[in-house]
Amino acid sequence: MSAFKRAVVTGGQRQTVLASLRDTQIINSKPVLPAEILSTILDYLHVPTLLRFARVSKRMREMVYDDTRWVQRLQMMGCWNESEARGSAEAARRKRSETLQSLQREEAKRIGIGVNGATNGIHGVEKTERPSIARGVTLFDAAAEDGRENSTRGGLEKAPPLDLDDGFDAVNIGHQETSIPYKTEDTATKLKIFTKVRSLRGFARQEFGKVYGCLSPLYLDAVRCDNHTQAIVFRTYRDPDQQAQMLSNLTKFSNSDISQGWHGRKEKLDSLIGAFESAVSREFEQALDAGDVTGKMRKYAHVLVSLDGGHTGVEMFISRTPIISSRYKLGNPMDCLSQNSSGSFSPEQSYAFFSNLSTAFNEQVGIMDLVFPDSVNAIVPFVQRVGKVVIVEYLSVLFDEAHRTNPESYLRAVSATCDQCLELARSLRPTSASGNEFYDTVDHVLAATFEPHIDLYLKEELTYFKKKSDAEVSDWEKQLSEQDASMQSMFMSNVNRQADKNDFLTSFKKVVMMPVNVLPAFPMSSPFSGKPATAKALVNGETVATSEPAVSQTSTRPSSPGVINGTTLSVNKSVTPLSEPPTTELAAKAAIMNSRLEGIRSLFSIEVALNLVHAAKSSIERAVVFVKLGGHFENNARLQCELIFISLLQTLGTRHIKAGFDQAVNHLSKYKPQESSELKRSGVTPLVTFLELVNVGDLIQQMLDVFYEQELVATKLTDRNDFLNPAVKEKKRFEQMLDERVAAGLNKGIEVLMTEVEYVCATIQKPEDFNPGASSGANSDVMDIGPSQTASQIIEIVSSHTKMLVGSTDKNMLDVFNQEVGMRLFTALCKHLKRQRVSVNGSIKLISDMNHYFGYIQTLRNQDLLQFFKALRELSQIYLVDPSDAKELATIIADGDRFHGIFRAEEVYEFATRRADWYQIKSKVERAMYGIGCAVM
């Protein structure tokens, strides 16, 4: 609008032509309403009113013709593709650029402009006129339409006048200035009107005009008619499928109606569509009851699909399927539990239920393929309904009853049904429209089905295993205690009861053992290495039976560990009874101690360990089923499997094995050979029995290693290389505990062995062995060349223990054990030698004994240990020196290199004092060594 206001003429005198211009005043005019408010008001106008408003001014026309306004309406109808619009705009820009370049090249050739802008070889002015490009007619340009109507009124009298109710003309967007009058689309084309809408920037108004021209009359009639049957849409289209398509188009078109009163029009249209949908649904339901699958049922299913995507038809079909309506015929959850008080779970009944469900489901899938088109994925809501109504209801009843009656049945039921559900998922047949995501949908439904039960199950699984393992160990300890009490009662039956009671409470109160002979001849293996064949067979439930040191395994699966080396693993095996109970208190104590020493090997049981391993294996196998569900269920199940393994290690390690080793060390510390000798011992020494106990502990560790590898590592439930993993840390802690207990026990066992050696030296070694003339009537001239009985028995005792480790442990372990035994034997022999009197004639026997010891040490093949016994052999030579050679004896004593630095001169001197003639040669030896008796001249 102009900003100039014409002045009022006041006088009647004649004015010049420029007078009006001089009297003109410039005034400022502002719009009454801001553009934002005007734009909001335009949103509430009907389309015909909106086009009339565009005629008010150029500014109003620009606001009405704004492309974003019409893009918004197309987006409301869901027929605007932003990606397509961007691609079209980019293609138009490239085409326009190519056209401009082509015109420029043609113009340059026409006027003879060179490449560098020269005309006929002379550089000219760089001035190029932009060619005029014919533009298409702008749709809804009111001024242009009026001008064309006035100029061509005579030639277009027969053309229909502009209908302001819709306000849209169909034109050809091209390079011509005239438009083609709108041609009414046929009824079939109107059904596909949304497929003809293009996403073009700058032409959104024209594209909306296509839709408005086709659907606006039907839409306005549908919202104005009082009787649904009188609507034009039902009179125009007689086929139900076409009626459904047009009603669906009207529903989309109504989304673009944002003018005043749109809510009432929306309700009337929904009422019309609801009446049509109800009529079609009744026909579909009747066909469903009649079983007319390929006839009316298929026909009206397609009608419902055209109307609303088929949601109503799918919902009606699912609710009327036998799986939903007659789900109780598939199976009764109470049949899975026995009717007795135990309430044990029977997986056969639940398997039958899921088999029936799979068969019925696949039958309904076949009907779906016949009824619904491929565009409808009806199986997804069907699977969700089956999982929510059928499976959840069945499992909830089963789990609640099993949890109430029997915890073990509950654990078995949850794991077994989850595994059966996973098998069910793979047996279901997808529809032709389900696609590749069908099985993912089934897995999600199954995960949602078990989600309310998984946390409780995992918690109950760990609690159940802990209770079972604690009960197993407690029963074992109770049996040990009862048999220990019966053994004491038998041995003390002929002894004063009160004295026995006081002595027992003070001496043997904390001793718990059972006279069981486990693995008496089993090949020894250390806790640091061993052959896992036996442990693997025991973990897998196989029988281990050997008659030789080699271990073999069979394919049978007994309930107990079976027989090892001909010895049955049983907690009920009794000690070989004495001919008669001891009659004295000392003899009874000795018998009890000897029985407990023999029972060291059974202070913890491989049978108990095997039962716990099998219980843990069962729990992990039940819990690992939920790993297949994926997601957070997988992580929780993995963690629970690790916690079960940790609980197994803690129960076996702390409560069973550690306590057994501590009791064994306690028994060894109370061993007294002088008391045991009063009974007829069977030849079983404490160290032998402890080594057999170590063998049992090592076998248990091998069982746990095999169990860890098979059940956790092989199934990828845990990572052995993750040093921060709780299961890995607990396993290393268990191995460290076992190594410490074994080391402490071996140390105590070697002490017991040396106690036995010292006892033999003290009781069997005779004074005349090294001093033939010491006893009256003994002939000092008659000598038996060869080792004494004491040396032979000591070598026999020591070698019987060291040979037990040969071939069954690694060399490092063997060397450490042999060196420790050898060093302590060396110390014991030195102490024993200092208590003897050795004559020159008796030195022959002593030298023979030392050579015998040296020969035994050579068999150990330990060079460091051999040096000590070489020095001991050299030391025995000092007793062979004749008393007349006192100076030579002093030279031997003072020669440190002779004994390889093992004995100092003072120590050799101390050994020399044990000569029988020492007091005769003492002064001569000391004079030769220290110069005693010499005078300074």
mmCIF file of all heavy atoms in Angstrom, residues 64-98:
data_model
loop_
_atom_site.group_PDB
_atom_site.id
_atom_site.type_symbol
_atom_site.label_atom_id
_atom_site.label_comp_id
_atom_site.label_asym_id
_atom_site.label_seq_id
_atom_site.Cartn_x
_atom_site.Cartn_y
_atom_site.Cartn_z
ATOM 1 N N VAL A 64 -0.060 -16.063 2.243
ATOM 2 C CA VAL A 64 -0.890 -17.227 1.938
ATOM 3 C C VAL A 64 -0.125 -18.212 1.075
ATOM 4 O O VAL A 64 -0.214 -19.425 1.245
ATOM 5 C CB VAL A 64 -2.201 -16.784 1.263
ATOM 6 C CG1 VAL A 64 -2.978 -17.995 0.749
ATOM 7 C CG2 VAL A 64 -3.055 -15.980 2.214
ATOM 8 N N TYR A 65 0.634 -17.688 0.098
ATOM 9 C CA TYR A 65 1.363 -18.544 -0.830
ATOM 10 C C TYR A 65 2.673 -19.087 -0.250
ATOM 11 O O TYR A 65 3.394 -19.801 -0.946
ATOM 12 C CB TYR A 65 1.676 -17.782 -2.109
ATOM 13 C CG TYR A 65 0.466 -17.549 -2.994
ATOM 14 C CD1 TYR A 65 -0.802 -17.944 -2.593
ATOM 15 C CD2 TYR A 65 0.610 -16.926 -4.231
ATOM 16 C CE1 TYR A 65 -1.892 -17.733 -3.404
ATOM 17 C CE2 TYR A 65 -0.484 -16.704 -5.044
ATOM 18 C CZ TYR A 65 -1.739 -17.114 -4.614
ATOM 19 O OH TYR A 65 -2.828 -16.901 -5.404
ATOM 20 N N ASP A 66 2.970 -18.761 0.971
ATOM 21 C CA ASP A 66 4.215 -19.248 1.579
ATOM 22 C C ASP A 66 4.269 -20.776 1.504
ATOM 23 O O ASP A 66 3.346 -21.471 1.938
ATOM 24 C CB ASP A 66 4.302 -18.785 3.031
ATOM 25 C CG ASP A 66 5.627 -19.151 3.668
ATOM 26 O OD1 ASP A 66 6.564 -19.517 2.921
ATOM 27 O OD2 ASP A 66 5.736 -19.099 4.905
ATOM 28 N N ASP A 67 5.369 -21.292 0.961
ATOM 29 C CA ASP A 67 5.454 -22.731 0.700
ATOM 30 C C ASP A 67 5.452 -23.555 1.986
ATOM 31 O O ASP A 67 4.951 -24.680 2.012
ATOM 32 C CB ASP A 67 6.732 -23.028 -0.091
ATOM 33 C CG ASP A 67 6.688 -24.400 -0.749
ATOM 34 O OD1 ASP A 67 5.789 -24.621 -1.576
ATOM 35 O OD2 ASP A 67 7.545 -25.240 -0.415
ATOM 36 N N THR A 68 5.992 -23.016 3.065
ATOM 37 C CA THR A 68 6.045 -23.779 4.318
ATOM 38 C C THR A 68 4.648 -24.053 4.866
ATOM 39 O O THR A 68 4.431 -25.065 5.554
ATOM 40 C CB THR A 68 6.868 -23.013 5.361
ATOM 41 O OG1 THR A 68 6.289 -21.720 5.568
ATOM 42 C CG2 THR A 68 8.301 -22.837 4.889
ATOM 43 N N ARG A 69 3.693 -23.156 4.576
ATOM 44 C CA ARG A 69 2.321 -23.363 5.057
ATOM 45 C C ARG A 69 1.724 -24.625 4.437
ATOM 46 O O ARG A 69 1.053 -25.412 5.112
ATOM 47 C CB ARG A 69 1.481 -22.130 4.736
ATOM 48 C CG ARG A 69 0.061 -22.194 5.270
ATOM 49 C CD ARG A 69 -0.678 -20.921 4.907
ATOM 50 N NE ARG A 69 0.043 -19.738 5.335
ATOM 51 C CZ ARG A 69 0.023 -19.285 6.576
ATOM 52 N NH1 ARG A 69 -0.677 -19.911 7.495
ATOM 53 N NH2 ARG A 69 0.703 -18.208 6.891
ATOM 54 N N TRP A 70 1.966 -24.820 3.166
ATOM 55 C CA TRP A 70 1.393 -25.974 2.465
ATOM 56 C C TRP A 70 2.206 -27.243 2.690
ATOM 57 O O TRP A 70 1.649 -28.342 2.674
ATOM 58 C CB TRP A 70 1.275 -25.657 0.978
ATOM 59 C CG TRP A 70 0.516 -24.376 0.753
ATOM 60 C CD1 TRP A 70 1.031 -23.142 0.503
ATOM 61 C CD2 TRP A 70 -0.903 -24.219 0.804
ATOM 62 N NE1 TRP A 70 0.038 -22.203 0.390
ATOM 63 C CE2 TRP A 70 -1.179 -22.843 0.563
ATOM 64 C CE3 TRP A 70 -1.975 -25.084 1.016
ATOM 65 C CZ2 TRP A 70 -2.459 -22.333 0.539
ATOM 66 C CZ3 TRP A 70 -3.252 -24.578 0.992
ATOM 67 C CH2 TRP A 70 -3.501 -23.215 0.753
ATOM 68 N N VAL A 71 3.518 -27.075 2.910
ATOM 69 C CA VAL A 71 4.332 -28.239 3.287
ATOM 70 C C VAL A 71 3.866 -28.808 4.618
ATOM 71 O O VAL A 71 3.788 -30.024 4.816
ATOM 72 C CB VAL A 71 5.824 -27.855 3.350
ATOM 73 C CG1 VAL A 71 6.643 -28.967 4.002
ATOM 74 C CG2 VAL A 71 6.365 -27.557 1.968
ATOM 75 N N GLN A 72 3.483 -27.905 5.518
ATOM 76 C CA GLN A 72 2.983 -28.359 6.813
ATOM 77 C C GLN A 72 1.715 -29.200 6.660
ATOM 78 O O GLN A 72 1.539 -30.227 7.305
ATOM 79 C CB GLN A 72 2.718 -27.164 7.719
ATOM 80 C CG GLN A 72 2.197 -27.529 9.093
ATOM 81 C CD GLN A 72 1.847 -26.310 9.907
ATOM 82 O OE1 GLN A 72 1.901 -25.175 9.404
ATOM 83 N NE2 GLN A 72 1.477 -26.514 11.157
ATOM 84 N N ARG A 73 0.832 -28.765 5.782
ATOM 85 C CA ARG A 73 -0.399 -29.522 5.573
ATOM 86 C C ARG A 73 -0.112 -30.886 4.932
ATOM 87 O O ARG A 73 -0.733 -31.898 5.262
ATOM 88 C CB ARG A 73 -1.360 -28.718 4.696
ATOM 89 C CG ARG A 73 -1.917 -27.481 5.400
ATOM 90 C CD ARG A 73 -2.816 -26.691 4.475
ATOM 91 N NE ARG A 73 -3.355 -25.503 5.123
ATOM 92 C CZ ARG A 73 -4.530 -25.449 5.763
ATOM 93 N NH1 ARG A 73 -5.292 -26.540 5.814
ATOM 94 N NH2 ARG A 73 -4.951 -24.344 6.328
ATOM 95 N N LEU A 74 0.839 -30.907 3.987
ATOM 96 C CA LEU A 74 1.210 -32.192 3.388
ATOM 97 C C LEU A 74 1.845 -33.128 4.413
ATOM 98 O O LEU A 74 1.624 -34.341 4.398
ATOM 99 C CB LEU A 74 2.164 -31.971 2.215
ATOM 100 C CG LEU A 74 1.579 -31.273 0.985
ATOM 101 C CD1 LEU A 74 2.662 -31.028 -0.052
ATOM 102 C CD2 LEU A 74 0.447 -32.101 0.371
ATOM 103 N N GLN A 75 2.625 -32.564 5.311
ATOM 104 C CA GLN A 75 3.220 -33.383 6.361
ATOM 105 C C GLN A 75 2.157 -33.933 7.303
ATOM 106 O O GLN A 75 2.275 -35.067 7.787
ATOM 107 C CB GLN A 75 4.245 -32.571 7.151
ATOM 108 C CG GLN A 75 5.512 -32.257 6.363
ATOM 109 C CD GLN A 75 6.460 -31.364 7.136
ATOM 110 O OE1 GLN A 75 6.072 -30.734 8.129
ATOM 111 N NE2 GLN A 75 7.704 -31.284 6.683
ATOM 112 N N MET A 76 1.129 -33.167 7.575
ATOM 113 C CA MET A 76 0.041 -33.662 8.416
ATOM 114 C C MET A 76 -0.660 -34.859 7.779
ATOM 115 O O MET A 76 -1.117 -35.760 8.475
ATOM 116 C CB MET A 76 -0.970 -32.545 8.670
ATOM 117 C CG MET A 76 -0.467 -31.434 9.558
ATOM 118 S SD MET A 76 -1.706 -30.137 9.758
ATOM 119 C CE MET A 76 -0.853 -29.013 10.842
ATOM 120 N N MET A 77 -0.737 -34.856 6.471
ATOM 121 C CA MET A 77 -1.364 -35.981 5.780
ATOM 122 C C MET A 77 -0.392 -37.137 5.571
ATOM 123 O O MET A 77 -0.791 -38.206 5.101
ATOM 124 C CB MET A 77 -1.905 -35.527 4.421
ATOM 125 C CG MET A 77 -3.061 -34.550 4.525
ATOM 126 S SD MET A 77 -3.824 -34.186 2.934
ATOM 127 C CE MET A 77 -2.494 -33.347 2.098
ATOM 128 N N GLY A 78 0.876 -36.936 5.886
ATOM 129 C CA GLY A 78 1.862 -37.996 5.754
ATOM 130 C C GLY A 78 2.291 -38.257 4.333
ATOM 131 O O GLY A 78 2.699 -39.395 4.019
ATOM 132 N N CYS A 79 2.203 -37.266 3.461
ATOM 133 C CA CYS A 79 2.591 -37.472 2.061
ATOM 134 C C CYS A 79 3.694 -36.529 1.631
ATOM 135 O O CYS A 79 3.812 -36.201 0.447
ATOM 136 C CB CYS A 79 1.374 -37.328 1.143
ATOM 137 S SG CYS A 79 0.507 -35.750 1.308
ATOM 138 N N TRP A 80 4.485 -36.064 2.582
ATOM 139 C CA TRP A 80 5.625 -35.211 2.244
ATOM 140 C C TRP A 80 6.895 -35.945 2.652
ATOM 141 O O TRP A 80 7.070 -36.329 3.795
ATOM 142 C CB TRP A 80 5.530 -33.866 2.951
ATOM 143 C CG TRP A 80 6.724 -32.983 2.699
ATOM 144 C CD1 TRP A 80 7.837 -32.858 3.454
ATOM 145 C CD2 TRP A 80 6.919 -32.120 1.573
ATOM 146 N NE1 TRP A 80 8.717 -31.980 2.898
ATOM 147 C CE2 TRP A 80 8.184 -31.504 1.737
ATOM 148 C CE3 TRP A 80 6.155 -31.813 0.453
ATOM 149 C CZ2 TRP A 80 8.686 -30.587 0.819
ATOM 150 C CZ3 TRP A 80 6.659 -30.897 -0.452
ATOM 151 C CH2 TRP A 80 7.908 -30.294 -0.275
ATOM 152 N N ASN A 81 7.798 -36.090 1.681
ATOM 153 C CA ASN A 81 9.068 -36.771 1.901
ATOM 154 C C ASN A 81 10.176 -35.736 1.820
ATOM 155 O O ASN A 81 10.476 -35.200 0.746
ATOM 156 C CB ASN A 81 9.263 -37.871 0.850
ATOM 157 C CG ASN A 81 10.447 -38.759 1.173
ATOM 158 O OD1 ASN A 81 11.349 -38.379 1.912
ATOM 159 N ND2 ASN A 81 10.433 -39.976 0.630
ATOM 160 N N GLU A 82 10.765 -35.474 2.960
ATOM 161 C CA GLU A 82 11.791 -34.436 3.013
ATOM 162 C C GLU A 82 13.014 -34.829 2.198
ATOM 163 O O GLU A 82 13.621 -33.976 1.526
ATOM 164 C CB GLU A 82 12.172 -34.178 4.473
ATOM 165 C CG GLU A 82 13.129 -33.020 4.682
ATOM 166 C CD GLU A 82 12.514 -31.685 4.300
ATOM 167 O OE1 GLU A 82 11.260 -31.570 4.343
ATOM 168 O OE2 GLU A 82 13.271 -30.760 3.939
ATOM 169 N N SER A 83 13.375 -36.076 2.207
ATOM 170 C CA SER A 83 14.541 -36.523 1.426
ATOM 171 C C SER A 83 14.283 -36.347 -0.071
ATOM 172 O O SER A 83 15.164 -35.893 -0.819
ATOM 173 C CB SER A 83 14.853 -37.981 1.736
ATOM 174 O OG SER A 83 15.145 -38.155 3.097
ATOM 175 N N GLU A 84 13.081 -36.687 -0.497
ATOM 176 C CA GLU A 84 12.739 -36.497 -1.903
ATOM 177 C C GLU A 84 12.738 -35.021 -2.270
ATOM 178 O O GLU A 84 13.174 -34.637 -3.372
ATOM 179 C CB GLU A 84 11.368 -37.114 -2.174
ATOM 180 C CG GLU A 84 10.905 -36.974 -3.630
ATOM 181 C CD GLU A 84 9.498 -37.508 -3.833
ATOM 182 O OE1 GLU A 84 8.958 -38.122 -2.888
ATOM 183 O OE2 GLU A 84 8.944 -37.286 -4.926
ATOM 184 N N ALA A 85 12.234 -34.174 -1.358
ATOM 185 C CA ALA A 85 12.208 -32.733 -1.632
ATOM 186 C C ALA A 85 13.618 -32.183 -1.786
ATOM 187 O O ALA A 85 13.886 -31.367 -2.684
ATOM 188 C CB ALA A 85 11.466 -32.015 -0.518
ATOM 189 N N ARG A 86 14.505 -32.611 -0.937
ATOM 190 C CA ARG A 86 15.889 -32.142 -1.048
ATOM 191 C C ARG A 86 16.536 -32.623 -2.335
ATOM 192 O O ARG A 86 17.244 -31.863 -3.000
ATOM 193 C CB ARG A 86 16.685 -32.637 0.156
ATOM 194 C CG ARG A 86 16.263 -32.007 1.482
ATOM 195 C CD ARG A 86 17.075 -32.557 2.626
ATOM 196 N NE ARG A 86 16.667 -31.979 3.897
ATOM 197 C CZ ARG A 86 17.176 -32.317 5.080
ATOM 198 N NH1 ARG A 86 18.128 -33.247 5.135
ATOM 199 N NH2 ARG A 86 16.742 -31.737 6.182
ATOM 200 N N GLY A 87 16.280 -33.874 -2.677
ATOM 201 C CA GLY A 87 16.840 -34.376 -3.926
ATOM 202 C C GLY A 87 16.293 -33.653 -5.140
ATOM 203 O O GLY A 87 17.035 -33.339 -6.084
ATOM 204 N N SER A 88 14.988 -33.354 -5.148
ATOM 205 C CA SER A 88 14.388 -32.636 -6.273
ATOM 206 C C SER A 88 14.931 -31.218 -6.374
ATOM 207 O O SER A 88 15.192 -30.712 -7.474
ATOM 208 C CB SER A 88 12.869 -32.606 -6.113
ATOM 209 O OG SER A 88 12.351 -33.925 -6.076
ATOM 210 N N ALA A 89 15.102 -30.555 -5.245
ATOM 211 C CA ALA A 89 15.639 -29.188 -5.256
ATOM 212 C C ALA A 89 17.068 -29.174 -5.782
ATOM 213 O O ALA A 89 17.452 -28.290 -6.563
ATOM 214 C CB ALA A 89 15.572 -28.599 -3.856
ATOM 215 N N GLU A 90 17.834 -30.156 -5.370
ATOM 216 C CA GLU A 90 19.216 -30.215 -5.845
ATOM 217 C C GLU A 90 19.264 -30.501 -7.338
ATOM 218 O O GLU A 90 20.064 -29.895 -8.080
ATOM 219 C CB GLU A 90 19.959 -31.293 -5.062
ATOM 220 C CG GLU A 90 21.439 -31.423 -5.404
ATOM 221 C CD GLU A 90 22.234 -30.194 -5.027
ATOM 222 O OE1 GLU A 90 21.767 -29.442 -4.139
ATOM 223 O OE2 GLU A 90 23.320 -29.990 -5.603
ATOM 224 N N ALA A 91 18.382 -31.389 -7.817
ATOM 225 C CA ALA A 91 18.350 -31.681 -9.252
ATOM 226 C C ALA A 91 17.903 -30.461 -10.053
ATOM 227 O O ALA A 91 18.435 -30.175 -11.133
ATOM 228 C CB ALA A 91 17.407 -32.860 -9.513
ATOM 229 N N ALA A 92 16.906 -29.712 -9.537
ATOM 230 C CA ALA A 92 16.452 -28.498 -10.224
ATOM 231 C C ALA A 92 17.544 -27.447 -10.268
ATOM 232 O O ALA A 92 17.703 -26.739 -11.265
ATOM 233 C CB ALA A 92 15.211 -27.948 -9.530
ATOM 234 N N ARG A 93 18.286 -27.329 -9.170
ATOM 235 C CA ARG A 93 19.370 -26.342 -9.153
ATOM 236 C C ARG A 93 20.437 -26.685 -10.191
ATOM 237 O O ARG A 93 20.925 -25.806 -10.891
ATOM 238 C CB ARG A 93 19.989 -26.301 -7.759
ATOM 239 C CG ARG A 93 21.036 -25.202 -7.574
ATOM 240 C CD ARG A 93 21.788 -25.385 -6.293
ATOM 241 N NE ARG A 93 22.540 -26.626 -6.299
ATOM 242 C CZ ARG A 93 23.718 -26.775 -6.917
ATOM 243 N NH1 ARG A 93 24.245 -25.767 -7.595
ATOM 244 N NH2 ARG A 93 24.344 -27.922 -6.886
ATOM 245 N N ARG A 94 20.791 -27.969 -10.281
ATOM 246 C CA ARG A 94 21.798 -28.370 -11.280
ATOM 247 C C ARG A 94 21.271 -28.151 -12.693
ATOM 248 O O ARG A 94 22.002 -27.680 -13.577
ATOM 249 C CB ARG A 94 22.166 -29.837 -11.071
ATOM 250 C CG ARG A 94 22.975 -30.112 -9.830
ATOM 251 C CD ARG A 94 23.622 -31.483 -9.898
ATOM 252 N NE ARG A 94 22.621 -32.534 -10.049
ATOM 253 C CZ ARG A 94 22.083 -33.195 -9.036
ATOM 254 N NH1 ARG A 94 22.444 -32.904 -7.795
ATOM 255 N NH2 ARG A 94 21.183 -34.145 -9.250
ATOM 256 N N LYS A 95 20.006 -28.450 -12.918
ATOM 257 C CA LYS A 95 19.448 -28.272 -14.259
ATOM 258 C C LYS A 95 19.388 -26.805 -14.643
ATOM 259 O O LYS A 95 19.688 -26.422 -15.784
ATOM 260 C CB LYS A 95 18.052 -28.892 -14.310
ATOM 261 C CG LYS A 95 17.442 -28.885 -15.700
ATOM 262 C CD LYS A 95 16.113 -29.623 -15.706
ATOM 263 C CE LYS A 95 15.503 -29.629 -17.106
ATOM 264 N NZ LYS A 95 14.208 -30.348 -17.145
ATOM 265 N N ARG A 96 19.015 -25.981 -13.669
ATOM 266 C CA ARG A 96 18.964 -24.547 -13.952
ATOM 267 C C ARG A 96 20.345 -23.993 -14.235
ATOM 268 O O ARG A 96 20.536 -23.157 -15.121
ATOM 269 C CB ARG A 96 18.337 -23.818 -12.764
ATOM 270 C CG ARG A 96 18.121 -22.335 -12.998
ATOM 271 C CD ARG A 96 17.229 -21.696 -11.932
ATOM 272 N NE ARG A 96 17.748 -21.922 -10.592
ATOM 273 C CZ ARG A 96 17.203 -22.745 -9.720
ATOM 274 N NH1 ARG A 96 16.142 -23.453 -10.079
ATOM 275 N NH2 ARG A 96 17.723 -22.896 -8.527
ATOM 276 N N SER A 97 21.334 -24.477 -13.508
ATOM 277 C CA SER A 97 22.704 -24.016 -13.746
ATOM 278 C C SER A 97 23.181 -24.450 -15.128
ATOM 279 O O SER A 97 23.814 -23.663 -15.848
ATOM 280 C CB SER A 97 23.623 -24.574 -12.658
ATOM 281 O OG SER A 97 24.959 -24.234 -12.911
ATOM 282 N N GLU A 98 22.869 -25.670 -15.524
ATOM 283 C CA GLU A 98 23.263 -26.135 -16.847
ATOM 284 C C GLU A 98 22.551 -25.352 -17.941
ATOM 285 O O GLU A 98 23.140 -25.045 -18.988
ATOM 286 C CB GLU A 98 22.948 -27.624 -16.972
ATOM 287 C CG GLU A 98 23.797 -28.512 -16.070
ATOM 288 C CD GLU A 98 23.340 -29.950 -16.130
ATOM 289 O OE1 GLU A 98 22.347 -30.219 -16.839
ATOM 290 O OE2 GLU A 98 23.962 -30.810 -15.453
#
